[in-house]
């Protein structure tokens, strides 16, 4: 098994700082070998990844998950517009079946591969891996796994993969609200931003997560998008994604889909906004939302960090990003993704 892991250990105060409701243990995982993965030559070397402790029981199952050539995967770092992109992709592949979307929850149509590893075991989600194994083709699969931890067959079977990146500061803000309300993270926003910049939120580190997929953006089966380009010109992104998926639509259909996916409409569709799932989690955790007006689909804005982040924190994030780019000797062109420039 090329993937190895060890328990996360640090000073007691640092260990306490990463915990959330029902999740007391975390691991550091690493893929030590890519014998049949030509794409691995594009990845940064000797990467480690921060994950909840439940992954230690499942990481091998995920790595050996059976991939099919007609699968469609949406992969992102958390809080990068994943739900929005999933619906765009699903609608394109299913010839704009709006009625089915309004009747069948997105999590059923587009399951989240590693969902069961993120919540305590008494939060009783169906086993996603088993469900996907039993699902007839064509399957739609969401994942936040970094490239080295994805199922190994992805790189040989080569299903369609749509990767979406988002400005790191907007990701951090959105992830903080998610950690606070969905996972009942007990720390302050200062604590959260500290662990984010120490690569101690799940699926971290952010920069290498994005950079590895960005380096693979010219692979025939990978489409690299950004949240910001979707907000700037969604119809153009829809056209590009449809072409990538082998679909063609009229201009009216493209505009119709863009309108359907507009935040004002998208956020109000119960099968898409995940509010029912959010309330279910609260019930099973026997808790209430810390922020009564919190919604899983929260704002969908570009640059909201400018309002919510103090100036000195913005500067700290910028210095951290520059340091990460220099440390890993990344191509400076990645700046446009990390900084949205």
């Amino acid at each position: 098994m090329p993937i190895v892991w060890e328990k996360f250990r640090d000073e007691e105060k640092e260990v306490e700082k990463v915990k959330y409701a029902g999740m007391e243990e975390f691991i550091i995982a690493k893929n030590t070998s890519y014998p049949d993965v030509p794409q691995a030559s594009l990845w940064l070397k000797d990467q480690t990844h921060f994950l909840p402790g439940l992954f230690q029981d499942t990481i091998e199952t995920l790595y050996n998950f059976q991939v099919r050539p007609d699968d469609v995967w949406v992969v992102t770092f958390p809080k990068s517009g994943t739900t929005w992109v999933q619906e765009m992709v699903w609608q394109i592949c299913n010839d704009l079946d709006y009625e089915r979307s309004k009747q069948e929850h997105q999590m059923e149509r587009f399951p989240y591969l590693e969902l069961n590893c993120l919540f305590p075991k008494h939060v009783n989600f169906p086993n996603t891996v088993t469900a996907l194994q039993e699902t007839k083709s064509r399957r739609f699969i969401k994942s936040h796994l970094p490239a080295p931890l994805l199922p190994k067959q992805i790189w040989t079977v080569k299903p369609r993969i749509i990767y979406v990146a988002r400005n790191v500061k907007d990701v951090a803000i959105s992830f903080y609200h998610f950690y606070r309300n969905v996972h009942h993270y007990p720390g302050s926003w200062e604590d959260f931003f500290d662990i984010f910049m120490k690569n101690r939120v799940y699926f971290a580190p952010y920069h290498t997560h994005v950079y590895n997929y960005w380096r693979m953006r010219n692979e025939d089966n990978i489409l690299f998008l950004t949240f910001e380009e979707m907000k700037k010109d969604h119809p153009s992104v829809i056209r590009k994604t449809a072409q990538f998926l082998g679909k063609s639509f009229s201009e009216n259909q493209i505009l119709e889909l863009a309108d359907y996916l507009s935040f004002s409409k998208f956020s109000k569709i119960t099968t898409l906004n995940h509010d029912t799932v959010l309330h279910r989690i609260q019930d099973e955790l026997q808790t209430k939302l810390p922020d009564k007006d919190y919604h899983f689909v929260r704002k969908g804005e570009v640059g909201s960090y400018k309002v919510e982040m103090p100036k000195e924190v913005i500067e700290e994030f910028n210095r951290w990003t520059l340091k990460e780019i220099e440390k890993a000797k990344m191509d400076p062109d990645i700046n446009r993704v990390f900084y949205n420039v």
Side-chain angles (χ1 to χ4, degrees):
M1 177 65 183
I3 297 182
V4 298
W5 56 266
E6 60 183 26
K7 290 184 179 181
F8 169 64
R9 294 182 175 88
D10 206 326
E11 297 176 10
E12 184 177 351
K13 65 177 182 179
E14 294 297 316
V15 174
E16 288 297 315
K17 200 182 287 187
V18 303
K19 293 179 179 179
Y20 57 82
M23 202 61 65
E24 301 285 315
E25 190 175 273
F26 295 83
I27 63 171
I28 308 293
K30 181 178 181 179
N31 192 331
T32 61
S33 174
Y34 325 103
D36 302 314
V37 182
Q39 296 89 340
S41 64
L42 300 171
W43 305 343
L44 295 173
K45 308 302 181 186
D46 299 319
Q47 299 171 66
T48 58
H49 314 280
F50 192 86
L51 300 169
L54 288 178
F55 270 89
Q56 60 192 281
D57 301 322
T58 312
I59 199 164
E60 185 170 355
T61 300
L62 294 171
Y63 191 64
N64 291 312
F65 179 79
Q66 297 292 304
V67 177
R68 303 174 192 168
D70 63 345
D71 286 343
V72 178
W73 292 66
V74 166
V75 183
T76 71
F77 190 84
K79 310 315 295 178
S80 298
T82 322
T83 304
W84 192 30
V85 176
Q86 285 175 263
E87 189 61 19
M88 176 183 72
V89 167
W90 190 92
Q91 287 295 342
I92 288 171
C93 289
N94 287 275
D95 300 319
L96 312 182
D97 192 347
Y98 302 120
E99 288 307 309
R100 182 179 167 193
S101 282
K102 292 176 182 178
Q103 294 168 8
E104 188 176 341
H105 199 282
Q106 188 189 71
M107 289 185 71
E108 297 174 5
R109 295 180 284 112
F110 216 129
Y112 181 3
L113 181 67
E114 62 273 10
L115 174 66
N116 302 96
C117 299
L118 303 178
F119 293 89
K121 290 181 179 180
H122 64 271
V123 177
N124 190 28
F125 283 116
N127 188 302
T128 309
V129 172
T130 300
L132 280 167
Q133 288 170 339
E134 296 172 352
T135 299
K136 295 179 180 180
S137 297
R138 180 177 212 180
R139 301 183 304 184
F140 297 87
I141 303 172
K142 161 189 168 179
S143 180
H144 291 312
L145 287 169
L149 301 185
L150 276 173
K152 61 185 178 182
Q153 287 189 356
I154 267 194
W155 312 113
T156 52
V157 175
K158 295 188 175 183
R160 292 290 173 179
I161 300 172
I162 296 92
Y163 186 88
V164 187
R166 187 183 187 186
N167 178 305
V168 61
K169 295 182 285 289
D170 278 337
V171 166
I173 285 286
S174 185
F175 213 1
Y176 164 67
H177 288 290
F178 183 87
Y179 249 59
R180 170 177 164 80
N181 287 281
V182 178
H183 290 307
H184 292 268
Y185 177 70
S188 63
W189 62 263
E190 292 95 339
D191 290 334
F192 183 80
F193 292 155
D194 179 57
I195 65 172
F196 192 99
M197 285 188 277
K198 288 177 177 174
N199 298 321
R200 293 174 182 170
V201 295
Y202 57 68
F203 301 113
Y206 160 88
H207 295 95
T208 58
H209 196 296
V210 174
Y211 188 65
N212 284 338
Y213 289 99
W214 184 81
R215 290 262 291 169
M216 295 188 289
R217 68 194 184 283
N218 294 322
E219 295 285 313
D220 291 341
N221 68 311
I222 296 177
L223 177 65
F224 187 97
L225 303 173
T226 69
F227 180 88
E228 290 78 15
E229 68 178 310
M230 290 178 65
K231 292 294 291 187
K232 183 179 180 180
D233 189 353
H234 204 176
S236 291
V237 174
I238 291 171
R239 288 187 204 98
K240 178 166 48 174
T241 307
Q243 182 178 12
F244 174 74
L245 293 167
K247 291 286 187 175
S248 178
F249 298 101
S250 69
E251 188 63 17
N252 283 341
Q253 287 175 313
I254 289 169
L255 295 176
E256 180 185 47
L257 178 56
D259 180 65
Y260 167 79
L261 293 169
S262 63
F263 183 82
S264 60
K265 295 185 177 180
F266 181 84
S267 61
K268 292 180 174 62
I269 300 174
T270 57
T271 55
L272 301 180
N273 62 25
H274 294 345
D275 280 352
T276 55
V277 178
L278 180 61
H279 293 308
R280 175 183 169 185
I281 293 170
Q282 306 311 307
D283 290 343
E284 299 206 16
L285 289 175
Q286 297 183 338
T287 55
K288 293 183 179 180
L289 288 174
D291 302 322
K292 293 181 180 179
D293 59 347
Y294 176 79
H295 297 280
F296 184 94
V297 178
R298 201 173 64 89
K299 286 187 176 181
E301 296 177 354
V302 171
S304 65
Y305 73 87
K306 297 174 185 177
V307 177
E308 298 192 57
M309 266 189 184
K311 182 179 178 181
E312 61 272 17
V313 177
I314 293 175
E315 292 172 350
E316 188 176 0
F317 264 85
N318 289 341
R319 287 192 297 270
W320 170 58
T321 292
L322 182 60
K323 182 179 177 181
E324 292 294 307
I325 292 173
E326 292 176 345
K327 182 175 68 176
K329 298 180 180 179
M330 296 182 189
D331 185 331
D333 283 349
I334 194 64
N335 272 320
R336 67 178 179 83
V337 177
F338 294 157
Y339 290 112
N340 183 29
V341 293

